Amino acid sequence: MGKFARISRIISGLLMIILGIVMAVIPEDGYVYVIIILSVSVVALGIKQLVYYFTMARFMVGGKEMLFIGIIALDFGMLTLSFSTVPKIFLVMYLIVVRAFSGVIDIMRGTEERSFDSPHWKITVSYGVVNLAVALLALISGLFIRSTRFLVYIYSVGLIYSGISRVVSAFRKTAVIYIQ
Protein backbone atom coordinates (compact mmCIF):
# COMPACT_ATOMS: atom_id res chain seq x y z
CA MET A 1 0.00 0.00 0.00
CA GLY A 2 1.44 3.36 -1.02
CA LYS A 3 1.61 6.52 1.06
CA PHE A 4 -1.41 8.07 -0.64
CA ALA A 5 -3.51 4.95 -0.03
CA ARG A 6 -2.44 4.88 3.64
CA ILE A 7 -3.29 8.55 4.11
CA SER A 8 -6.67 8.15 2.41
CA ARG A 9 -7.48 5.12 4.60
CA ILE A 10 -6.57 7.11 7.72
CA ILE A 11 -8.69 10.07 6.62
CA SER A 12 -11.66 7.88 5.71
CA GLY A 13 -11.33 6.00 9.02
CA LEU A 14 -11.27 9.24 11.00
CA LEU A 15 -14.26 10.48 9.02
CA MET A 16 -16.14 7.28 9.87
CA ILE A 17 -15.33 7.72 13.56
CA ILE A 18 -16.54 11.33 13.49
CA LEU A 19 -19.75 10.32 11.67
CA GLY A 20 -20.36 7.57 14.23
CA ILE A 21 -19.95 10.05 17.08
CA VAL A 22 -22.26 12.56 15.35
CA MET A 23 -24.89 9.84 14.93
CA ALA A 24 -24.61 8.85 18.59
CA VAL A 25 -24.80 12.45 19.84
CA ILE A 26 -27.59 13.57 17.51
CA PRO A 27 -29.61 10.39 16.81
CA GLU A 28 -32.58 12.35 15.45
CA ASP A 29 -30.70 14.04 12.59
CA GLY A 30 -27.30 12.31 12.56
CA TYR A 31 -28.43 9.66 10.11
CA VAL A 32 -29.25 12.34 7.52
CA TYR A 33 -25.66 13.58 7.64
CA VAL A 34 -24.39 10.05 7.23
CA ILE A 35 -26.68 9.43 4.25
CA ILE A 36 -25.59 12.64 2.55
CA ILE A 37 -21.88 11.94 3.05
CA LEU A 38 -22.29 8.27 2.07
CA SER A 39 -24.19 9.12 -1.09
CA VAL A 40 -21.80 11.89 -2.13
CA SER A 41 -18.79 9.61 -1.60
CA VAL A 42 -20.36 6.77 -3.60
CA VAL A 43 -21.30 9.17 -6.41
CA ALA A 44 -17.72 10.49 -6.39
CA LEU A 45 -16.43 6.91 -6.58
CA GLY A 46 -18.72 6.21 -9.53
CA ILE A 47 -17.57 9.33 -11.35
CA LYS A 48 -13.93 8.47 -10.62
CA GLN A 49 -14.39 4.95 -12.03
CA LEU A 50 -16.13 6.29 -15.14
CA VAL A 51 -13.39 8.85 -15.76
CA TYR A 52 -10.79 6.10 -15.28
CA TYR A 53 -12.62 3.92 -17.77
CA PHE A 54 -12.89 6.60 -20.44
CA THR A 55 -9.28 7.76 -20.04
CA MET A 56 -7.43 4.49 -19.61
CA ALA A 57 -9.33 1.32 -18.72
CA ARG A 58 -11.21 0.99 -22.01
CA PHE A 59 -7.89 0.02 -23.61
CA MET A 60 -7.09 -2.58 -20.95
CA VAL A 61 -8.03 -6.21 -20.66
CA GLY A 62 -11.04 -6.35 -18.35
CA GLY A 63 -11.55 -2.61 -18.58
CA LYS A 64 -15.31 -2.93 -18.96
CA GLU A 65 -15.42 -3.97 -15.32
CA MET A 66 -14.46 -0.39 -14.39
CA LEU A 67 -17.32 0.89 -16.54
CA PHE A 68 -19.81 -1.39 -14.80
CA ILE A 69 -18.47 -0.54 -11.34
CA GLY A 70 -18.72 3.17 -12.15
CA ILE A 71 -22.29 2.92 -13.41
CA ILE A 72 -23.43 0.79 -10.47
CA ALA A 73 -21.71 3.06 -7.93
CA LEU A 74 -23.24 6.15 -9.54
CA ASP A 75 -26.71 4.59 -9.46
CA PHE A 76 -26.24 3.37 -5.90
CA GLY A 77 -25.13 6.83 -4.76
CA MET A 78 -28.12 8.52 -6.41
CA LEU A 79 -30.46 5.96 -4.84
CA THR A 80 -28.91 6.60 -1.43
CA LEU A 81 -29.27 10.36 -1.88
CA SER A 82 -32.95 9.96 -2.68
CA PHE A 83 -33.43 8.11 0.63
CA SER A 84 -33.00 11.30 2.66
CA THR A 85 -36.72 12.04 2.32
CA VAL A 86 -38.11 8.62 3.33
CA PRO A 87 -39.02 7.73 6.93
CA LYS A 88 -36.13 7.16 9.29
CA ILE A 89 -36.79 3.46 9.90
CA PHE A 90 -36.40 2.59 6.20
CA LEU A 91 -33.22 4.59 6.01
CA VAL A 92 -31.66 2.90 9.01
CA MET A 93 -32.71 -0.53 7.73
CA TYR A 94 -31.10 0.32 4.40
CA LEU A 95 -27.86 1.20 6.19
CA ILE A 96 -28.06 -2.07 8.12
CA VAL A 97 -28.50 -4.10 4.93
CA VAL A 98 -25.47 -2.35 3.43
CA ARG A 99 -23.49 -3.17 6.60
CA ALA A 100 -24.56 -6.84 6.43
CA PHE A 101 -23.59 -7.06 2.76
CA SER A 102 -20.21 -5.55 3.59
CA GLY A 103 -19.74 -8.13 6.35
CA VAL A 104 -20.51 -11.02 4.02
CA ILE A 105 -18.08 -9.66 1.42
CA ASP A 106 -15.35 -9.30 4.08
CA ILE A 107 -15.88 -12.88 5.23
CA MET A 108 -15.60 -14.11 1.64
CA ARG A 109 -12.48 -11.99 1.08
CA GLY A 110 -10.93 -13.35 4.28
CA THR A 111 -11.50 -16.94 3.23
CA GLU A 112 -9.92 -16.13 -0.12
CA GLU A 113 -6.92 -14.60 1.68
CA ARG A 114 -6.67 -17.79 3.72
CA SER A 115 -6.36 -19.86 0.56
CA PHE A 116 -3.42 -17.64 -0.46
CA ASP A 117 -1.79 -18.14 2.98
CA SER A 118 -2.08 -14.46 3.87
CA PRO A 119 -1.28 -13.78 7.53
CA HIS A 120 -4.06 -11.17 7.79
CA TRP A 121 -7.00 -13.40 6.86
CA LYS A 122 -8.12 -13.72 10.48
CA ILE A 123 -8.42 -9.95 10.83
CA THR A 124 -10.48 -9.69 7.64
CA VAL A 125 -12.81 -12.51 8.67
CA SER A 126 -13.24 -11.10 12.18
CA TYR A 127 -14.01 -7.67 10.72
CA GLY A 128 -16.66 -9.25 8.51
CA VAL A 129 -18.13 -11.24 11.41
CA VAL A 130 -18.37 -8.10 13.55
CA ASN A 131 -20.05 -6.20 10.69
CA LEU A 132 -22.51 -9.02 10.18
CA ALA A 133 -23.16 -9.32 13.91
CA VAL A 134 -23.80 -5.57 14.25
CA ALA A 135 -26.21 -5.70 11.32
CA LEU A 136 -28.05 -8.72 12.68
CA LEU A 137 -28.22 -7.23 16.18
CA ALA A 138 -29.60 -3.98 14.77
CA LEU A 139 -32.08 -5.82 12.57
CA ILE A 140 -33.36 -8.01 15.42
CA SER A 141 -33.57 -5.08 17.83
CA GLY A 142 -35.33 -3.00 15.20
CA LEU A 143 -37.92 -5.69 14.65
CA PHE A 144 -38.59 -6.35 18.33
CA ILE A 145 -37.85 -3.07 20.11
CA ARG A 146 -38.97 -0.84 17.22
CA SER A 147 -36.84 2.04 18.42
CA THR A 148 -35.11 4.00 15.72
CA ARG A 149 -32.89 5.66 18.30
CA PHE A 150 -31.57 2.27 19.43
CA LEU A 151 -30.90 1.30 15.81
CA VAL A 152 -28.98 4.52 15.28
CA TYR A 153 -26.89 3.81 18.39
CA ILE A 154 -26.05 0.31 17.19
CA TYR A 155 -25.18 1.55 13.73
CA SER A 156 -23.01 4.35 15.13
CA VAL A 157 -21.06 1.86 17.27
CA GLY A 158 -20.51 -0.26 14.16
CA LEU A 159 -19.39 2.82 12.23
CA ILE A 160 -16.91 3.77 14.94
CA TYR A 161 -15.55 0.21 14.97
CA SER A 162 -15.16 0.30 11.18
CA GLY A 163 -13.33 3.61 11.36
CA ILE A 164 -10.95 2.33 14.02
CA SER A 165 -10.22 -0.83 12.05
CA ARG A 166 -9.58 1.25 8.91
CA VAL A 167 -7.07 3.41 10.73
CA VAL A 168 -5.37 0.34 12.23
CA SER A 169 -5.21 -1.38 8.83
CA ALA A 170 -3.52 1.69 7.36
CA PHE A 171 -0.57 1.14 9.69
CA ARG A 172 -0.35 -2.61 8.99
CA LYS A 173 2.59 -3.74 6.88
CA THR A 174 1.69 -5.14 3.50
CA ALA A 175 3.59 -7.89 1.77
CA VAL A 176 4.93 -7.48 -1.73
CA ILE A 177 4.52 -10.56 -3.88
CA TYR A 178 7.12 -11.12 -6.56
CA ILE A 179 6.30 -13.33 -9.54
CA GLN A 180 9.22 -15.28 -10.88
Side-chain angles (χ1 to χ4, degrees):
M1 183 182 311
K3 288 182 182 179
F4 181 73
R6 288 186 195 276
I7 290 171
S8 66
R9 277 187 86 77
I10 291 171
I11 290 172
S12 66
L14 291 175
L15 184 64
M16 290 170 79
I17 293 170
I18 290 169
L19 287 175
I21 292 171
V22 165
M23 279 184 70
V25 171
I26 315 169
E28 294 82 25
D29 296 329
Y31 73 95
V32 174
Y33 302 130
V34 171
I35 284 298
I36 290 171
I37 291 173
L38 178 70
S39 62
V40 167
S41 63
V42 173
V43 166
L45 173 72
I47 291 171
K48 178 183 145 196
Q49 291 293 338
L50 288 174
V51 166
Y52 177 64
Y53 171 76
F54 286 117
T55 57
M56 187 183 302
R58 66 181 173 176
F59 303 114
M60 297 171 27
V61 174
K64 283 188 181 178
E65 182 179 330
M66 298 301 145
L67 174 68
F68 298 142
I69 289 173
I71 291 171
I72 290 171
L74 195 61
D75 289 343
F76 188 66
M78 294 296 201
L79 176 73
T80 306
L81 190 59
S82 70
F83 276 173
S84 62
T85 59
V86 300
K88 191 187 314 184
I89 190 75
F90 295 123
L91 190 59
V92 174
M93 287 299 185
Y94 171 73
L95 291 174
I96 289 170
V97 167
V98 169
R99 169 79 49 177
F101 182 73
S102 172
V104 169
I105 295 297
D106 286 335
I107 291 171
M108 290 171 40
R109 194 176 72 209
T111 56
E112 182 184 18
E113 288 176 1
R114 182 179 180 204
S115 68
F116 292 131
D117 295 328
S118 173
H120 303 295
W121 71 271
K122 292 178 185 175
I123 296 171
T124 307
V125 169
S126 66
Y127 179 66
V129 167
V130 168
N131 273 340
L132 197 58
V134 165
L136 289 176
L137 177 68
L139 185 66
I140 290 169
S141 67
L143 290 175
F144 294 117
I145 298 175
R146 297 192 187 273
S147 170
T148 312
R149 182 178 290 239
F150 190 66
L151 286 173
V152 170
Y153 288 143
I154 290 174
Y155 188 79
S156 65
V157 167
L159 200 60
I160 292 170
Y161 171 75
S162 297
I164 290 171
S165 65
R166 257 181 116 66
V167 170
V168 167
S169 72
F171 292 109
R172 190 171 59 195
K173 287 200 176 247
T174 55
V176 177
I177 299 172
Y178 294 102
I179 300 173
Q180 295 182 8

